[in-house]
Amino acid sequence: KQEVTQIPAALSVPEGENLVLNCSFTDSAIYNLQWFRQDPGKGLTSLLLIQSSQREQTSGRLNASLDKSSGRSTLYIAASQPGDSATYLCAVRDSGGSNYKLTFGKGTLLTVNP
Amino acid sequence: NAGVTQTPKFQVLKTGQSMTLQCAQDMNHNSMYWYRQDPGMGLRLIYYSASEGTTDKGEVPNGYNVSRLNKREFSLRLESAAPSQTSVYFCASSLLGDRGYTFGSGTRLTVV
């Protein structure tokens, strides 16, 4: 059974700092990995999707990397801003089968202080 | 705006009452999902529908039923609500697994 772990559970940084969020998964046979952002009381917003054949994806100040063989992904946020404060969730879709369901980590709560 | 729409946004039920959570997507996605989110537990899959006409159990299906009404709509029913079903419920959809997932804004359900 796939398990996804996110470290740290919470992170507080001053504005302007570059930071890295970590995600690890136990079964490397994944189809893709997706990073989401969740604001308090809100739904999930997709940030980046990395296919199993890719090493990284970039969107603006965000860069996500994937090392499938070691079961790890990182989300790099450059020049953090208070508006980046949210919970960041990592989710993987296992390869094989036709259900496309995701397994989620419990998230990292990020606070960027002005 | 295209996306996943969930109704209602908030609901309070008494133990034993029934209700249906509605979900609709207008992106012509094939697959739809229901997740619940609880503090300390993360998001857990309740049921999913890989394609129109099919439904399957996820990780925590007990106490729930689903209906894939058509390609757009996927409803979640609680027949006899219990306090343990107090949670935030999210519906999601995907075209194909390689295209990623789109989530609705959630239904916050309290069972008293």
Side-chain angles (χ1 to χ4, degrees):
Chain A
K1 176 185 174 184
Q2 179 74 267
E3 293 182 1
V4 179
T5 302
Q6 292 187 244
I7 294 174
L11 180 64
S12 181
V13 300
E15 182 177 3
E17 215 171 83
N18 302 325
L19 58 99
V20 174
L21 307 181
N22 296 292
C23 172
S24 62
F25 43 95
T26 55
D27 186 347
S28 62
I30 67 169
Y31 195 83
N32 58 39
L33 183 146
Q34 196 165 358
W35 283 94
F36 295 89
R37 168 186 172 138
Q38 185 176 28
D39 293 289
K42 303 294 185 182
L44 280 69
T45 301
S46 179
L47 297 174
L48 290 164
L49 172 69
I50 310 177
Q51 303 299 337
S52 62
S53 59
Q54 297 175 320
R55 296 286 292 180
E56 65 178 340
Q57 282 285 340
T58 298
S59 176
R61 294 182 294 108
L62 305 179
N63 176 276
S65 67
L66 175 64
D67 184 342
K68 195 174 68 167
S69 62
S70 67
R72 294 180 181 179
S73 176
T74 61
L75 179 66
Y76 175 83
I77 302 177
S80 59
Q81 303 171 357
D84 294 330
S85 298
T87 297
Y88 290 80
L89 296 164
C90 166
V92 300
R93 181 207 156 189
D94 294 332
S95 62
S98 60
N99 55 49
Y100 311 127
K101 65 184 181 71
L102 296 176
T103 302
F104 281 85
K106 294 182 179 179
T108 294
L109 175 62
L110 173 65
T111 303
V112 181
N113 301 299
Chain B
N1 292 335
V4 179
T5 302
Q6 291 184 236
T7 56
K9 294 189 182 302
F10 301 93
Q11 184 72 48
V12 178
L13 290 178
K14 294 182 179 180
T15 298
Q17 286 186 318
S18 63
M19 78 162 295
T20 300
L21 281 63
Q22 307 286 352
C23 175
Q25 52 89 10
D26 57 5
M27 298 171 286
N28 201 34
H29 284 178
N30 301 97
S31 302
M32 299 185 72
Y33 314 81
W34 278 105
Y35 286 85
R36 61 178 288 174
Q37 186 176 37
D38 303 289
M41 300 294 292
L43 280 120
R44 294 178 292 170
L45 182 66
I46 306 171
Y47 269 94
Y48 64 95
S49 171
S51 61
E52 186 179 358
T54 68
T55 60
D56 286 285
K57 295 178 180 179
E59 187 180 355
V60 287
N62 291 344
Y64 306 95
N65 285 300
V66 291
S67 295
R68 184 73 184 267
L69 304 172
N70 46 56
K71 192 172 186 179
R72 291 185 63 250
E73 299 172 288
F74 188 39
S75 62
L76 178 71
R77 182 161 179 84
L78 288 70
E79 291 291 352
S80 179
S84 61
Q85 295 177 305
T86 294
S87 186
V88 181
Y89 291 85
F90 288 102
C91 178
S93 68
S94 66
L95 178 60
L96 293 172
D98 61 349
R99 298 294 181 90
Y101 296 70
T102 301
F103 278 78
S105 58
T107 295
R108 190 172 297 272
L109 175 67
T110 302
V111 183
V112 298

